[in-house]
Amino acid sequence: MGAIGHEAQRMHTGEGFVMSKNMLINAAHPEECRVAIVKEGVLEELAIETSIKGKAKGNIYKGVVVRVEPSLQAAFVEYGGSRHGFIPFGEIRPDCYLITGEKKARYRIQDVICKGVELLVQVEKEERDTKGAFLTTHLSLPGRYMVLMPGAERGGVSRKIEDEAQRKRLKEILDELKPPEGFGVIVRTAGMGRTKQELSRDFQALMRLWEGIRKRSEEVSAPALVYEEQDVVIRTIRDYFTPDIDEILVDNKEVFKSVLEFFKATMPRYQHRVRLYQEKRPIFSKFNLEEQIETVYERKVHLPSGGSLVIDTTEALVAIDVNSGKATGERGMEETAFKTNLEAADMVALQIRLRDLGGLLIIDFIDMASRKHNQEVEKRLKNALKGDKAKIDLSRISKFGLLELSRERLRPPIKEGAYVTCFHCGGSGLVRSTESLALIILRKIQAGLAKGNAARVEGALSTEVASYLLNQKRGDLARLEQEHGVIIHLVGESELLSGQFRLEFIKQAPARPLLAVPEKEPPARGPVLEEEIEQAPSEAVAGAAPSEPPAEGARKRRRRRRRRKKKEHPAEAQTEAAPAQPEAALEILSPSERAPLE
């Protein structure tokens, strides 16, 4: 193994040395498992699976229909995922219909499917963003050399096997295997050159697997997982192992045992190529792969001649821009563009395979005047994509220098398990400047105060924005306080991210009107004695008529006392009549002095 690692670092030495091809399995940490195929020191295939986000594609579930949408001619199925799965009418096999009839009859989904129907479904596309999983009832069970399709009427040989003699031989072997009625079988590309015994062993293993799935589906109640696709290690070996791979190195003992058992069951002639990696240096570092893997996560990828690719993923498509950069070594612009585009074609094929970019891809090549050069670039890209196992539909370079292609996504995007959306920008890559955000908050305060009924404004902002407002916009805040008679209290909090803030407008309590004190009637008095009559003139207030009744005179005396009090103490009377106004002053308190917001 030490010799292999040393040779992998030698790359091209000019000695005519041909590098070996290796499969490296890094499963030292339970959080992440990585499988890479390296040829001549260059990373060709990469599969990463994390414990944070498991894989659902290929799993088979027993689900139940929860809603039928006639307008979409589709149904939504509860199968056990975080969202309901989506299944179009065309993905439902006729034997799942509630009614039976002629196969050529044109039904609508509402005629043959209703809420509560149980279906055995397989995940074709995993959940992504706000979209649920794409489901189908056309099940497929991949093996090493074959794919078994329960419910299919026919099978065949993979289109990637182009040799007519091989296709004819494999079809004859399929006829001899005699699959049961209602089962379709497809021979995979890996089955090319295999013997009848090897193909038969793989077919029998798939039939036993299907029998186990069928029995479990009858035992469980929907929604439930019936069959789980194999882990990333076994799946990668099953789909990507070829006889030209000289060695499979595994750095985990448990994974090494499972890989060895898989080879003994499916490919016993190659089991001696599986070895346990026991050196102290990490397996990917020994083969200089860490630097190459980092480029998979980068937006910009450099080309050998000095040019570059810029890869941007959007909701609808993936845009790949080819830039010449420092590539100026050719005789003219046309030759420089041609050479850069040829390098870009090889790199684009590699990057979309490593990143598993799916959907619609738009490649913006450098404009070339020569039609022959355009055809050469198209041919180069087509040849580079031949090793990709995904289904690809390729167009030609348009007069604008654009080439469109659609590609099947084989697994979740490689960034999903390694990256999370930025809390600051929300994934856009841009955040507002401090000045712009301060003006937004100032305008919100102004708009809130214009509505009236606010006595105080409480605000919690990020430290940078609070510092800018309290220093650069102090005059504007003071003016708002004076105009509206309020207190504006802004505090910077370090835990708040850029763009986050809280504003609270505390309403003014309504003024309570002064209640009139009811006048008390003097107590009823009996007959007036002579002593009281004689004392009455001395107790009377000057100016009162002696002939007035006692009760009327007492009321007049009270009114005169109130008028005299208002004249002698006018300030107290004004305070008593009007409600208190809030003081207009800007308060700047530290977070430790600030009372918590309600």
Side-chain angles (χ1 to χ4, degrees):
M1 290 186 296
I4 292 176
H6 177 68
E7 290 166 358
Q9 297 177 31
R10 286 170 58 186
M11 302 290 287
H12 296 285
T13 61
E15 303 172 1
F17 175 73
V18 179
M19 301 290 296
S20 61
K21 187 175 181 180
N22 301 289
M23 180 180 286
L24 311 178
I25 301 174
N26 174 220
H29 304 285
E31 295 85 0
E32 185 179 70
C33 182
R34 302 184 295 177
V35 183
I37 298 177
V38 188
K39 183 179 181 181
E40 298 182 358
V42 178
L43 181 65
E44 282 200 337
E45 296 287 348
L46 177 66
I48 299 178
E49 191 169 275
T50 63
S51 59
I52 300 173
K53 183 176 179 62
K55 183 180 182 298
K57 184 177 179 180
N59 292 355
I60 297 177
Y61 298 86
K62 186 176 183 180
V64 58
V65 176
V66 293
R67 190 166 79 251
V68 177
E69 287 292 343
S71 60
L72 301 176
Q73 283 299 290
F76 291 90
V77 179
E78 172 59 48
Y79 68 99
S82 58
R83 300 183 186 91
H84 291 160
F86 177 81
I87 182 168
F89 185 36
E91 295 296 328
I92 303 177
R93 300 199 316 268
D95 57 349
C96 299
Y97 295 169
L98 294 176
I99 58 176
T100 57
E102 296 182 5
K103 293 184 178 180
K104 295 184 179 181
R106 300 186 63 179
Y107 293 112
R108 296 175 300 174
I109 190 170
Q110 61 268 31
D111 299 330
V112 295
I113 296 295
C114 65
K115 181 179 178 181
V117 173
E118 293 184 350
L119 299 174
L120 199 61
V121 295
Q122 188 171 29
V123 178
E124 262 197 3
K125 296 180 183 178
E126 299 199 39
E127 297 178 357
R128 189 178 180 194
D129 300 330
T130 58
K131 298 178 181 178
F134 187 92
L135 307 177
T136 181
T137 59
H138 299 289
L139 309 181
S140 61
L141 301 175
R144 170 60 186 156
Y145 304 121
M146 292 183 169
V147 177
L148 180 68
M149 300 179 295
E153 297 179 355
R154 55 186 176 180
V157 180
S158 172
R159 295 178 181 176
K160 292 188 177 182
I161 301 178
E162 299 177 353
D163 185 81
E164 288 298 329
Q166 281 287 342
R167 294 182 65 87
K168 183 178 180 180
R169 186 182 71 86
L170 293 173
K171 287 181 179 179
E172 291 175 355
I173 293 176
L174 281 181
D175 293 337
E176 294 175 4
L177 291 178
K178 297 180 180 179
E181 186 178 354
F183 286 84
V185 179
I186 294 179
V187 179
R188 306 182 68 179
T189 310
M192 185 173 59
R194 299 298 101 189
T195 64
K196 179 183 177 181
Q197 182 181 1
E198 290 175 315
L199 296 176
S200 177
R201 182 169 59 242
D202 197 41
F203 174 71
Q204 295 300 328
L206 291 176
M207 289 300 297
R208 288 193 298 270
L209 176 62
W210 166 247
E211 189 63 24
I213 293 173
R214 187 188 62 79
K215 288 182 179 179
R216 176 165 171 76
S217 65
E218 295 174 354
E219 296 171 357
V220 299
S221 57
L225 174 65
V226 177
Y227 166 74
E228 185 174 10
E229 177 68 302
Q230 293 171 322
D231 59 48
V232 65
V233 174
I234 303 301
R235 193 169 63 245
T236 305
I237 295 174
R238 181 194 68 195
D239 297 339
Y240 291 94
F241 177 81
T242 53
D244 61 339
I245 293 179
D246 300 309
E247 199 169 29
I248 300 172
L249 301 178
V250 189
D251 64 357
N252 183 283
K253 290 184 179 180
E254 295 299 324
V255 177
F256 169 75
K257 292 178 182 178
S258 64
V259 171
L260 197 58
E261 290 175 1
F262 177 77
F263 268 87
K264 289 179 179 179
T266 59
M267 299 173 284
R269 69 165 72 177
Y270 300 116
Q271 62 178 328
H272 66 279
R273 299 188 185 184
V274 182
R275 298 183 184 178
L276 180 64
Y277 181 83
Q278 295 177 310
E279 296 186 21
K280 293 183 179 180
R281 189 178 181 184
I283 186 172
F284 276 29
S285 298
K286 188 172 183 87
F287 287 83
N288 293 329
L289 292 185
E290 296 294 354
E291 294 79 6
Q292 297 184 54
I293 292 175
E294 284 303 314
T295 63
V296 177
Y297 297 109
E298 294 178 359
R299 177 174 176 262
K300 190 173 184 179
V301 181
H302 295 281
L303 300 176
S305 64
S308 63
L309 299 179
V310 179
I311 304 174
D312 289 314
T313 303
T314 67
E315 185 73 19
L317 52 84
V318 178
I320 303 177
D321 185 30
V322 182
N323 297 320
S324 60
K326 300 178 181 179
T328 56
E330 302 303 319
R331 290 176 295 179
M333 292 181 59
E334 180 73 14
E335 292 298 325
T336 300
F338 178 56
K339 182 180 178 180
T340 305
N341 284 339
L342 288 178
E343 293 179 351
D346 293 333
M347 185 58 71
V348 165
L350 177 62
Q351 290 297 322
I352 65 175
R353 187 169 68 247
L354 294 178
R355 302 176 187 225
D356 196 31
L357 300 176
L360 183 63
L361 287 83
I362 308 296
I363 307 171
D364 184 9
F365 286 105
I366 303 172
D367 293 338
M368 297 178 293
S370 173
R371 184 176 180 181
K372 181 180 179 181
H373 286 169
N374 283 332
Q375 292 175 348
E376 287 292 329
V377 172
E378 293 171 0
K379 185 179 179 181
R380 184 74 164 263
L381 179 61
K382 186 176 181 180
N383 291 335
L385 291 171
K386 281 187 176 180
D388 199 330
K389 291 187 175 296
K391 296 178 182 177
I392 296 177
D393 188 10
L394 193 66
S395 70
R396 294 185 176 273
I397 298 177
S398 68
K399 63 179 181 179
F400 303 108
L402 302 178
L403 185 145
E404 301 89 11
L405 67 89
S406 64
R407 182 181 182 274
E408 174 193 17
R409 183 178 286 109
L410 300 177
R411 52 184 178 267
I414 197 170
K415 287 188 175 181
E416 283 192 1
Y419 285 78
V420 294
T421 304
C422 175
F423 297 107
H424 293 268
C425 67
S428 66
L430 298 172
V431 295
R432 281 190 176 271
S433 64
T434 301
E435 295 81 1
S436 175
L437 193 56
L439 292 177
I440 289 176
I441 296 172
L442 189 63
R443 294 188 189 108
K444 286 185 176 291
I445 294 175
Q446 187 176 4
L449 293 177
K451 297 179 182 178
N453 297 329
R456 186 180 180 89
V457 180
E458 293 278 356
L461 326 169
S462 62
T463 307
E464 296 82 3
V465 177
S467 176
Y468 185 87
L469 280 172
L470 297 177
N471 290 280
Q472 305 298 327
K473 294 297 179 180
R474 181 186 295 269
D476 295 287
L477 294 174
R479 179 179 55 80
L480 289 175
E481 287 184 319
Q482 187 175 3
E483 287 181 0
H484 298 278
V486 298
I487 296 175
I488 300 177
H489 182 200
L490 302 179
V491 174
E493 294 185 358
S494 58
E495 61 268 19
L496 290 179
L497 303 177
S498 176
Q500 294 181 341
F501 62 89
R502 298 191 302 270
L503 287 178
E504 183 180 6
F505 294 86
I506 301 174
K507 294 183 178 180
Q508 183 177 3
R512 295 181 179 180
L514 294 177
L515 300 178
V517 180
E519 297 181 354
K520 296 182 180 181
E521 293 291 336
R525 304 185 65 181
V528 181
L529 302 178
E530 283 190 16
E531 292 85 357
E532 294 177 350
I533 295 174
E534 291 177 358
Q535 294 175 1
S538 61
E539 295 176 357
V541 180
S547 59
E548 290 177 346
E552 184 66 19
R555 282 195 294 271
K556 288 183 178 181
R557 287 195 296 272
R558 284 195 295 272
R559 286 196 293 270
R560 283 195 293 270
R561 282 196 297 270
R562 285 197 294 270
R563 284 195 295 269
R564 284 199 302 270
K565 186 176 181 181
K566 289 180 181 180
K567 291 179 181 180
E568 294 173 358
H569 305 284
E572 294 179 7
Q574 185 176 0
T575 303
E576 185 178 344
Q581 296 293 331
E583 184 181 358
L586 178 64
E587 294 188 6
I588 306 173
L589 302 178
S590 64
S592 60
E593 296 172 336
R594 184 176 60 86
L597 299 180
E598 296 181 356

